[in-house]
Amino acid sequence: MKGMSMGRLIKNRWGVLFLVLILSASLLMMGGCGSGDGDNEASDDKTVKIGVLGPFTGPAARVGEEFKASTEMAFEAVDYQIGDHEIELVWIDSESDAEKAARAYEQAIVKDKIDCGFLNWHSWVSVSCMEVAAKYKIPHFFSIGGTDIVNEKYESDPEKYFYWVGKGWPVPEKLSISYVTTLEEAIDKGIWEPRNKKVAMYGVDNDWGRGFANALRSQFEDAGWEVVSEDWVALGETEFYPMLNKLKSLDVSVIAGTMSDPPSVSSFIKQSREVGLESLIICDGLGWVGEWYDLTGEASDYVIDQIPQWATPEAQKFASEFEERYGLEPGANSGGLCYDLARFLVKVLETCDEQYGDINTENLTKIAKDEVMTGNLTLDDGVMTSVYQYTPETFPDPVVDKEHYIFPVIQYFDGEAKIVWPEEWKEQDLQIPEGM
Amino acid sequence: MLECWVLLGGTLDSTQQNRNPLNRVVCNILGLLETKNVTKRFGGLTAVNDVSLNVEEGQIFGLIGPNGAGKTTLLNCISGVYKPEEGHIFFNGEDVTSFSADKICHTGIARTFQIVHSFPTMSVLENVMVGATFGGRKDREKPENIAEKMLDFVDFPLDYDVLAQDVNTVQLKQVELARAMATECNLLLLDEVAAGLTPGELDVISKLILRIKDSGITIIMVEHLMKLIMGVCDRIAVLSFGQKIAEGPPKEIAENEKVVEAYLGTKRKH
Amino acid sequence: MDPSQIADPIITGLLRGGLYALMALGLALVFGVMNIPNFAHGDFYMVGAYLAFFSFTAFGLGPILSIIVAMFGAFILGVLVEKGVFYTLRKRSKKNWVMNTFLLTLGISIVLQNSVKMLFGANYRGVTAFWPGTMQIGSINVSIDRIVGFLIAIIAIAGFWVFLSKTKVGRSIRAVSQDETGSQLVGVNLNWIHTLTFGLSCAVAALAGASLLSITPASPGMGLTPLYKSWFVCILVGMGNVGASIWGGLLLGILETFAYMQFGAGWQDAISLAVIILILLFKPSGLFAKKGVKSALE
Amino acid sequence: MEKKGTFDISRLNGYLGKLGLKPLGFLLIILLAVIPLIITDQFWIRLLTSTLMMAALAMAFDFSAGFININNFGLAAFWGLGAYTSGLLAVNLGLSPWLGMLAGALAAAVLGFLVGLLTLRLSGIFASCMTWFVALALMALTTNWVELTRGSSGLSTPYLVDSLSNIPYYYVMLIIAIGVLILLRVITNSHIGMAFKAIGQDKQAAEASGINFVKYRIFNMTLSCALAGLVGGFYAHYTGVITPTMMHTSNTVEALAICYVGGRGSIWGAILSAFILVPAMELMKGMMEVRMIIYGVLLILVMLVYPAGLAGLCNALYKFMKDKGLFRKFGFVSKNVTGRS
């Protein structure tokens, strides 16, 4: 066989040049970054690295933004300094996906060598990262993801999974009961005479949505309501006409459920108004992120939600400071709660420094076991709710009652939340739209 | 693993059948290829209507007719691209009517296309090797050697390593012929091999066709170009609107009134 | 069975389907004329939504004007992409054109999506409504936005039909889609037709994205769903059959709505895909395949 | 193939040739095998593991795209199918992850076979679309069949080995990747590879040359999907959790980009480009969008400027050096250097 000519193989000199350039550039880049990593390893052990897990991109990116801001604010307050330790935050992006989160978390452990983990939003991410934390024995503090599924996993092997130290949010049933109580009280008082006692459940199709709706479902049934349907929708779905028309034809007095991503929840509320649904809507999580009212408009009037309010002066101060710095209106449950939990973490770090003189994974694990889980260490000046405390009985949930941790039930009007329950905090009675 | 698969898969390349000498003898009497009352319809249109042909071994058999007469369709029926609705096709005495295109190739019928089909990013040699590897018997010499021989045979003028996408039409036709012959066929179907060629190139191709015939391969050719057909064919059949209207040696056909009426008449306007 | 149980999903489905039809029309056009399987089609939809959002909120243009701005913006972007990328490729090679352009459109899609993400973040940007209010159709209430969206789709499709069949340029486009070499012989300027077609297709996608803004808020990854839905439609009716993509779009809308009602939210994709796969199993060239136009078959 | 050489090295070359390898490639494989002895940082080991995984996926992709001209746009779904099969079997029936990997490959092979049948009558780009639709349907099914798969919340799966170290995973993946490489190289270098190329480029001519289109096309689809499933089975027990998003088209696009930058139709080009792109992308993770834009621009530029990709470039360089007689000095003499296949 005769050889091929060079000219045909390399049809295009510029092409070759271009590829060679790309090749060498990538190799250089690899080399450069590689050596950079080597330096990190040698950093002095006075630096404490905290991996902050949050949905920084993906459908819940807005929550991630608030997480970032609140955590920064809490650590700026102590100037990123605990004793003579410097705090370094490592952002771990969960992308709202269990698998990606687990990968990123493991990456942060092996690459960035974090000393402990902090925060998280979704419970399915909790479930996957719990495994990673247990594998590497890294304590992870105050993840918000709160459904039963996290508790179940913890209880399946408390020894192994206690590294997932405390949840920032109790199991849904502890909070969702307030909705049923609110409605029942309104009926007792004669504020509302529902045309029937039928309720339809809906929810985003994941651990959170199903866990919440299931808890609420049995609570409604216990109170003598009939649950006539259940609908699960995919994360990010924005088309609800068929489902809402079905609910409308079922003629229920109440529809109750939750969705956690802004496009879904706002489309749902908006479209419920468009199809003329004549039911009271319980929508847990509508107000979780700041800009919901821009998306729903007046369709959100009369919608019932459960969210802590910026009631205390400290809370209002935090909220206005937050808005000033980041140009975002913080959501109470994302920004606010995160701020409290970050301050709790600061307290944990300080305690660790006082007791052991050194902050590292091992000592933090001891603090988690001896102080946090036992209820010795609490945060009692939270901006969102009075006291954050874990006891061996409630662990991994925080203590939930009116003195410790509870959220008021609210109803929206013109984008403003009015507290309708409990009695002590009430701003007005539950309002019922005409004809319901 | 690979061998296993081939074993399990049975006939990845089914070996050729009907090659025993006794069959051949019978065939010589019956003719190498016979179509019996072949009819092919597309929806309401009958493209080939009740056509019976008998092609004897060693002939160059011409198939002519005006545009849309069903010549290419008949060729496609023989080569297994279409299945006729009615009628049968016998090759070497075997009924091959329902054979798929690749199986037809294994029985010893090869073809070329009206618009050249090639494997553009393979070299010319590889193009021909495809035919030698998959069309021929397994126990022959190396496909590479066969391919080189075939390219030599068709006088392919360029380096055999050149890619098929880089050669011109007449060269592609040569490659296609070489590929078809590399399948070790007994019968070669040529579909308008002269289309788009200059008179000089035409000369090259018609000489080549005669050389192929001399090597013992029977040829059926569909052609528009009268000069070529009359020059090389031993026998000619004429199709018009799907039906065979005449058959015979070239001289007879040229004088046949029906043909002049149906075919040559329209041809002159061209 | 209550008649409204059938009528309601059909109405909802039609309203959805109108915009699928519009998207599919653009896709089919580019495939028919330029032989490009455009996988960046959904991203022009996204660009349209963003343009409409900013014109509506930041510049306070009215809804109609915002939608028009989105259309023109995407048209210009489409022209730039065609001139910059496809024209360059066309000059360089004609071999394996379909596959190569397919990869190019993928690249364009990645670049567009991530540029938008970089510029505007991953936030959702939507408007409450272009035209507040609802309307009763049959037994159900429908927002005015949806009806206007549907009307826009119908008008755009009708406009396209008139353009393609009555104007000289439109006829040239159709000629190119049927026989490229032939139309060149009769003096059609191929480069110009290609650029125009691609631009128009992008404009149509952006039109859909802009008119749906109040239903689907703008976000960088929003284009994927409309993209694969328009692909369903095109393959369902037979690729290259531009006219039939309208029926395909409406059909898909209705099919999805029924699946949604019967099996619950989330299942509509799985069900409609299964149905389409079944249809293609028995009729691989599509429901309304035309003879002589490009088809999916070997 | 094998030319008797006076030097041992040329005989080695001949043996490697049978496995579809070149001496340089063989050296690189040995290098990869000893890397964990040199680099102990777990991060790098993990990075190399993901790189090998993407390389294996890209090779499986190339097996279809580069030969029978079908871009298997649903490859990620077959990857996910393998992962879910293996994960579910391990979680519900307690099947060993090692067997689970094979089960994953088998499940993906079965679906690949069916998709092959389904797309039989469709031409290249439409067959690609069809695999995509099947993949979307599979992803929708996995997401919505919450009772079985736990839906978008993700399925927790047991780890493959009970160890904090990532080195065992690295070696398992290395063996899989090399296995995939050798298997695919051997197949594509044989007459089967020629048949693939032929049916990919011209179906009619291939059939007229005696190639059974149906068998080869389905064989190709089945094998390529099975390999993706095998890698998926490994992945399920590597991360410990799988979600339906792993079936997302963006993962296919990643494999596709790696395959095309590597140069399609070469198989080994995919490994080369994976080793450049995956680490580069990982190290740029801080700039999420920018790195994706680089991906897109790279894809466009490769298609516009140098479609032969890295493999084509390497072959050209090899050829150039051979023509200058640079190899003869070192005894690297081999007849079978056509630079292609």
Side-chain angles (χ1 to χ4, degrees):
Chain A
M1 269 183 274
K2 286 165 243 173
M4 290 185 230
S5 70
M6 185 70 186
R8 229 214 28 249
L9 264 167
I10 306 182
K11 277 183 203 143
N12 185 319
R13 269 159 218 276
W14 290 112
V16 174
L17 193 67
F18 155 73
L19 268 181
V20 168
L21 274 176
I22 295 267
L23 235 156
S24 44
S26 338
L27 287 175
L28 275 177
M29 202 152 50
M30 276 170 73
C33 296
S35 61
D37 272 20
D39 294 344
N40 283 352
E41 261 174 76
S43 69
D44 68 307
D45 47 327
K46 284 293 175 193
T47 305
V48 179
K49 287 192 176 180
I50 299 172
V52 185
L53 181 59
F56 300 117
T57 60
R62 172 60 200 260
V63 171
E65 244 174 279
E66 293 190 18
F67 273 12
K68 220 173 203 168
S70 300
T71 313
E72 275 173 6
M73 282 174 75
F75 278 94
E76 268 166 31
V78 294
D79 210 15
Y80 291 98
Q81 199 79 31
I82 308 279
D84 50 359
H85 293 279
E86 201 174 315
I87 303 293
E88 190 187 324
L89 301 178
V90 176
W91 306 109
I92 308 172
D93 187 5
S94 77
E95 299 180 47
S96 295
D97 183 84
E99 176 229 328
K100 285 180 186 143
R103 268 178 94 172
Y105 200 65
E106 196 157 359
Q107 189 88 309
I109 293 172
V110 300
K111 183 186 171 196
D112 302 309
K113 316 239 171 345
I114 55 170
D115 295 289
C116 72
F118 169 59
L119 210 62
N120 169 39
W121 180 242
H122 305 286
S123 37
W124 57 89
V125 171
S126 287
V127 171
S128 70
C129 290
M130 264 170 112
E131 199 71 56
V132 181
K135 181 176 163 190
Y136 289 94
K137 302 201 174 3
I138 298 278
H140 185 103
F141 291 93
F142 316 133
S143 150
I144 290 181
T147 50
D148 311 71
I149 212 108
V150 180
N151 294 43
E152 275 164 29
K153 183 141 185 160
Y154 168 74
E155 276 147 24
S156 74
D157 193 348
E159 199 69 2
K160 181 178 172 193
Y161 294 118
F162 99 91
Y163 289 96
W164 205 251
V165 190
K167 298 183 337 188
W169 195 295
V171 288
E173 69 211 39
K174 292 190 181 165
L175 295 176
S176 64
I177 185 70
S178 312
Y179 288 118
V180 183
T181 317
T182 309
L183 292 187
E184 286 297 308
E185 278 179 18
I187 294 170
D188 288 345
K189 281 188 195 159
I191 297 170
W192 184 32
E193 281 173 37
R195 57 182 183 277
N196 54 36
K197 283 200 111 180
K198 287 202 282 191
V199 57
M201 312 298 304
Y202 67 90
V204 57
D205 198 357
N206 54 36
D207 285 348
W208 161 250
R210 286 192 177 233
F212 178 86
N214 286 337
L216 195 54
R217 180 195 175 113
S218 54
Q219 286 160 353
F220 264 113
E221 280 170 349
D222 290 345
W225 289 71
E226 185 197 349
V227 177
V228 293
S229 77
E230 265 180 346
D231 286 282
W232 310 115
V233 297
L235 199 69
E237 175 68 62
T238 56
E239 170 65 289
F240 297 100
Y241 264 49
M243 177 176 141
L244 288 165
N245 276 319
K246 192 184 89 183
L247 293 180
K248 190 180 166 193
S249 64
L250 287 173
D251 187 38
V252 290
S253 305
V254 178
I255 61 169
T258 180
M259 280 179 212
S260 47
D261 54 322
S264 294
V265 72
S266 54
S267 307
F268 181 72
I269 297 299
K270 198 163 71 181
Q271 291 172 20
S272 70
R273 177 64 64 99
E274 286 170 13
V275 303
L277 188 72
E278 287 177 343
S279 315
L280 211 52
I281 300 173
I282 293 174
C283 183
D284 196 83
L286 173 60
W288 279 354
V289 289
E291 286 158 353
W292 59 274
Y293 189 67
D294 293 342
L295 296 173
T296 62
E298 56 165 20
S300 63
D301 288 359
Y302 296 102
V303 173
I304 301 167
D305 194 355
Q306 198 179 112
I307 278 188
Q309 297 301 297
W310 309 105
T312 60
E314 295 86 56
Q316 278 155 5
K317 188 170 154 265
F318 163 75
S320 59
E321 214 171 284
F322 188 107
E323 203 167 344
E324 204 172 296
R325 273 199 55 184
Y326 297 99
L328 295 170
E329 196 186 319
N333 276 22
S334 39
L337 195 61
C338 165
Y339 181 64
D340 275 353
L341 294 172
R343 285 172 57 229
F344 199 174
L345 179 66
V346 168
K347 222 170 156 181
V348 170
L349 294 168
E350 281 168 348
T351 318
C352 182
D353 189 42
E354 278 163 27
Q355 285 197 4
Y356 297 100
D358 189 18
I359 306 176
N360 56 32
T361 305
E362 210 175 302
N363 294 339
L364 282 169
T365 312
K366 284 187 210 151
I367 293 287
K369 208 159 203 165
D370 303 338
E371 306 294 331
V372 180
M373 276 171 80
T374 54
N376 291 346
L377 193 63
T378 61
L379 181 80
D380 42 22
D381 57 348
V383 298
M384 295 325 305
T385 187
S386 352
V387 179
Y388 295 87
Q389 186 181 27
Y390 299 89
T391 66
E393 292 77 45
T394 60
F395 198 81
D397 283 343
V399 180
V400 180
D401 59 38
K402 279 179 193 164
E403 282 74 44
H404 286 85
Y405 185 114
I406 196 144
F407 298 155
V409 175
I410 52 168
Q411 199 172 19
Y412 294 110
F413 294 97
D414 297 330
E416 298 288 328
K418 298 284 181 205
I419 298 178
V420 295
W421 187 91
E423 207 60 37
E424 304 87 78
W425 303 344
K426 190 156 93 175
E427 291 173 331
Q428 64 181 42
D429 278 331
L430 185 70
Q431 305 286 306
I432 307 296
E434 263 177 69
M436 286 194 194
Chain B
M1 151 98 204
L2 187 60
E3 274 85 32
C4 277
W5 191 85
V6 174
L7 281 178
L8 288 174
T11 51
L12 199 59
D13 315 289
S14 50
T15 44
Q16 290 183 315
Q17 302 147 355
N18 275 329
R19 297 248 173 188
N20 67 53
L22 191 70
N23 245 343
R24 287 255 174 123
V25 177
V26 179
C27 295
N28 275 340
I29 304 160
L30 282 175
L32 184 67
L33 182 99
E34 236 196 306
T35 70
K36 275 191 178 156
N37 312 95
V38 168
T39 301
K40 174 73 202 166
R41 298 187 192 93
F42 295 105
L45 179 85
T46 308
V48 176
N49 193 359
D50 196 29
V51 173
S52 299
L53 297 174
N54 190 350
V55 182
E56 280 167 35
E57 188 155 15
Q59 278 184 339
I60 295 183
F61 191 95
L63 208 52
I64 59 172
N67 281 330
K71 308 177 297 281
T72 298
T73 309
L74 182 62
L75 221 54
N76 280 335
C77 286
I78 297 171
S79 64
V81 176
Y82 300 139
K83 275 188 191 62
E85 270 85 23
E86 284 162 38
H88 290 272
I89 298 164
F90 294 94
F91 178 67
N92 263 339
E94 186 187 8
D95 188 347
V96 299
T97 321
S98 59
F99 282 20
S100 59
D102 52 305
K103 212 171 166 194
I104 288 279
C105 172
H106 289 140
T107 63
I109 303 178
R111 70 169 296 181
T112 67
F113 296 90
Q114 194 171 353
I115 299 160
V116 186
H117 284 246
S118 67
F119 310 119
T121 67
M122 289 191 201
S123 71
V124 163
L125 186 77
E126 283 173 315
N127 263 271
V128 183
M129 273 168 72
V130 169
T133 313
F134 298 98
R137 275 199 307 258
K138 279 280 165 61
D139 55 347
R140 295 188 305 162
E141 49 190 315
K142 278 168 92 177
E144 207 172 319
N145 298 347
I146 300 174
E148 277 181 46
K149 246 190 258 169
M150 289 306 156
L151 284 168
D152 290 343
F153 181 84
V154 299
D155 278 338
F156 185 73
L158 305 175
D159 185 353
Y160 296 169
D161 263 348
V162 74
L163 295 188
Q165 64 190 11
D166 297 335
V167 305
N168 68 26
T169 316
V170 67
Q171 287 155 357
L172 272 183
K173 291 203 180 220
Q174 286 175 323
V175 173
E176 209 181 18
L177 276 171
R179 187 182 68 214
M181 285 173 55
T183 65
E184 214 199 10
C185 55
N186 304 119
L187 175 66
L188 183 59
L189 312 176
L190 302 178
D191 196 353
E192 298 207 21
V193 76
L197 299 186
T198 63
E201 291 166 343
L202 194 65
D203 204 38
V204 175
I205 287 288
S206 61
K207 275 185 187 142
L208 181 56
I209 290 171
L210 287 172
R211 260 196 295 141
I212 293 173
K213 179 194 169 186
D214 291 343
S215 75
I217 294 174
T218 315
I219 295 173
I220 300 179
M221 58 190 297
V222 163
E223 195 51 73
H224 265 311
L225 214 63
M226 276 303 151
K227 199 181 134 203
L228 183 65
I229 280 283
M230 295 298 169
V232 300
C233 285
D234 299 311
R235 209 172 159 80
I236 291 173
V238 188
L239 294 186
S240 177
F241 295 108
Q243 274 171 314
K244 188 173 87 174
I245 53 170
E247 193 186 329
K251 265 189 188 158
E252 244 175 62
I253 290 295
E255 289 155 10
N256 187 312
E257 270 177 40
K258 260 187 180 168
V259 176
V260 175
E261 188 184 323
Y263 180 77
L264 295 178
T266 58
K267 189 70 193 169
R268 277 189 190 130
K269 286 181 199 160
H270 235 289
Chain C
M1 206 181 185
D2 182 4
S4 75
Q5 267 175 300
I6 307 243
D8 293 355
I10 289 182
I11 294 167
T12 322
L14 282 178
L15 291 180
R16 264 168 94 98
L19 288 149
Y20 292 162
L22 191 59
M23 285 288 288
L25 183 77
L27 196 66
L29 197 68
V30 162
F31 188 79
V33 175
M34 302 172 74
N35 233 340
I36 295 174
N38 188 1
F39 277 72
H41 200 56
D43 298 291
F44 289 98
Y45 170 93
M46 182 245 338
V47 167
Y50 270 94
L51 285 173
F53 173 80
F54 287 114
S55 329
F56 191 69
T57 56
F59 298 99
L61 303 178
I64 292 288
L65 214 54
S66 302
I67 292 173
I68 291 175
V69 165
M71 234 175 98
F72 272 97
F75 180 83
I76 292 165
L77 185 64
V79 167
L80 291 178
V81 166
E82 206 283 332
K83 279 285 174 216
V85 178
F86 296 112
Y87 179 67
T88 320
L89 182 66
R90 202 164 43 238
K91 270 197 312 192
R92 280 176 182 278
S93 85
K94 271 196 168 16
K95 279 143 211 155
N96 216 356
W97 165 260
V98 176
M99 275 298 165
N100 290 345
T101 52
F102 157 73
L103 289 155
L104 279 182
T105 60
L106 269 185
I108 292 165
S109 158
I110 298 173
V111 171
L112 277 180
Q113 258 182 51
N114 289 284
S115 310
V116 167
K117 212 171 183 178
M118 196 165 70
L119 287 174
F120 309 119
N123 288 358
Y124 291 89
R125 288 161 201 272
V127 296
T128 318
F130 281 134
W131 295 276
T134 61
M135 211 174 153
Q136 176 119 16
I137 299 181
S139 64
I140 57 168
N141 280 319
V142 179
S143 70
I144 305 268
D145 272 14
R146 278 180 194 241
I147 295 167
V148 175
F150 180 72
L151 290 178
I152 288 176
I154 295 299
I155 292 168
I157 290 169
F160 240 100
W161 186 77
V162 171
F163 170 70
L164 285 180
S165 56
K166 304 282 179 222
T167 65
K168 191 167 171 251
V169 181
R171 280 198 293 267
S172 313
I173 290 182
R174 277 175 41 212
V176 173
S177 82
Q178 274 155 23
D179 185 352
E180 195 170 296
T181 345
S183 54
Q184 241 174 331
L185 289 177
V186 296
V188 173
N189 181 343
L190 217 53
N191 289 335
W192 189 69
I193 290 293
H194 281 170
T195 310
L196 181 74
T197 309
F198 198 80
L200 278 177
S201 154
C202 294
V204 164
L207 181 65
S211 16
L212 282 179
L213 183 62
S214 67
I215 298 160
T216 322
S219 67
M222 72 189 291
L224 184 65
T225 317
L227 170 68
Y228 68 69
K229 294 209 166 138
S230 25
W231 269 102
F232 286 179
V233 172
C234 285
I235 292 194
L236 180 68
V237 298
M239 201 73 205
N241 191 345
V242 178
S245 56
I246 299 160
W247 305 117
L250 298 178
L251 204 66
L252 180 69
I254 295 171
L255 182 65
E256 275 191 0
T257 315
F258 270 105
Y260 193 130
M261 302 277 271
Q262 291 300 315
F263 299 92
W267 283 100
Q268 72 268 35
D269 273 5
I271 302 286
S272 51
L273 274 167
V275 170
I276 288 167
I277 289 170
L278 274 180
I279 290 176
L280 291 182
L281 202 54
F282 294 105
K283 214 165 173 345
S285 51
L287 281 181
F288 307 101
K290 263 197 276 182
K291 239 193 146 178
V293 298
K294 295 182 184 83
S295 93
L297 290 182
E298 283 279 4
Chain D
M1 285 286 203
E2 189 181 346
K3 188 184 179 185
K4 281 242 167 69
T6 43
F7 301 103
D8 275 344
I9 196 150
S10 55
R11 204 178 303 153
L12 174 70
N13 197 4
Y15 291 137
L16 289 174
K18 283 187 181 161
L19 295 177
L21 297 174
K22 302 246 166 73
L24 190 64
F26 185 62
L27 282 179
L28 287 175
I29 288 175
I30 291 175
L31 181 69
L32 282 176
V34 297
I35 267 185
L37 305 175
I38 306 162
I39 301 175
T40 45
D41 190 330
Q42 294 289 309
F43 163 68
W44 283 99
I45 300 293
R46 281 183 73 80
L47 182 55
L48 286 173
T49 313
S50 345
T51 308
L52 284 171
M53 192 174 71
M54 282 318 296
L57 276 180
M59 282 190 282
F61 187 86
D62 192 21
F63 187 57
S64 290
F67 290 88
I68 60 169
N69 209 14
I70 290 180
N71 285 277
N72 188 344
F73 223 50
L75 193 79
F78 292 96
W79 181 50
L81 178 67
Y84 266 94
T85 308
S86 176
L88 286 171
L89 284 174
V91 170
N92 297 328
L93 302 178
L95 189 74
S96 144
W98 299 97
L99 290 175
M101 278 197 247
L102 295 179
L106 190 67
V110 170
L111 188 69
F113 178 80
L114 293 177
V115 171
L117 278 181
L118 184 69
T119 56
L120 211 51
R121 289 179 63 191
L122 302 177
S123 68
I125 190 72
F126 296 97
S128 302
C129 279
M130 210 57 184
T131 60
W132 188 35
F133 291 166
V134 172
L136 288 171
L138 199 62
M139 184 174 156
L141 186 73
T142 317
T143 314
N144 288 295
W145 196 350
V146 178
E147 290 76 13
L148 182 70
T149 62
R150 295 200 1 94
S152 57
S153 302
L155 181 74
S156 289
T157 49
Y159 288 110
L160 192 62
V161 287
D162 186 23
S163 155
L164 270 192
S165 167
N166 287 291
I167 290 174
Y169 293 103
Y170 173 76
Y171 277 114
V172 173
M173 193 59 235
L174 184 65
I175 290 167
I176 294 178
I178 293 173
V180 170
L181 173 71
I182 290 177
L183 176 69
L184 296 186
R185 285 287 287 176
V186 167
I187 291 179
T188 52
N189 280 346
S190 74
H191 70 280
I192 300 179
M194 184 184 262
F196 286 155
K197 276 177 132 181
I199 64 172
Q201 293 186 19
D202 194 312
K203 185 200 170 201
Q204 275 188 302
E207 284 192 313
S209 310
I211 297 176
N212 189 325
F213 173 78
V214 175
K215 265 182 196 159
Y216 283 102
R217 181 135 152 192
I218 290 183
F219 170 56
N220 185 300
M221 297 280 283
T222 310
L223 184 62
S224 130
C225 293
L227 293 176
L230 180 73
V231 178
F234 165 80
Y235 186 72
H237 304 290
Y238 171 57
T239 55
V241 60
I242 44 178
T243 55
T245 43
M246 71 183 287
M247 298 188 179
H248 197 269
T249 316
S250 62
N251 287 325
T252 311
V253 171
E254 203 169 324
L256 178 148
I258 290 171
C259 160
Y260 276 80
V261 172
R264 70 180 182 150
S266 69
I267 303 289
W268 60 271
I271 294 195
L272 190 62
S273 79
F275 269 88
I276 293 167
L277 286 179
V278 178
M281 291 299 158
E282 182 57 45
L283 295 169
M284 285 193 286
K285 196 150 195 174
M287 323 180 264
M288 277 297 284
E289 292 82 26
V290 178
R291 82 190 177 120
M292 287 312 287
I293 293 177
I294 292 174
Y295 242 134
V297 170
L298 208 58
L299 193 59
I300 295 176
L301 285 181
V302 165
M303 291 320 296
L304 281 184
V305 183
Y306 199 74
L310 290 173
L313 179 72
C314 288
N315 280 334
L317 288 176
Y318 184 86
K319 184 76 194 139
F320 178 73
M321 285 165 80
K322 192 167 162 272
D323 286 352
K324 296 264 169 192
L326 292 174
F327 289 107
R328 212 152 299 141
K329 288 180 197 163
F330 309 109
F332 287 100
V333 183
S334 149
K335 190 187 164 207
N336 185 36
V337 182
T338 53
R340 319 201 122 249
S341 95

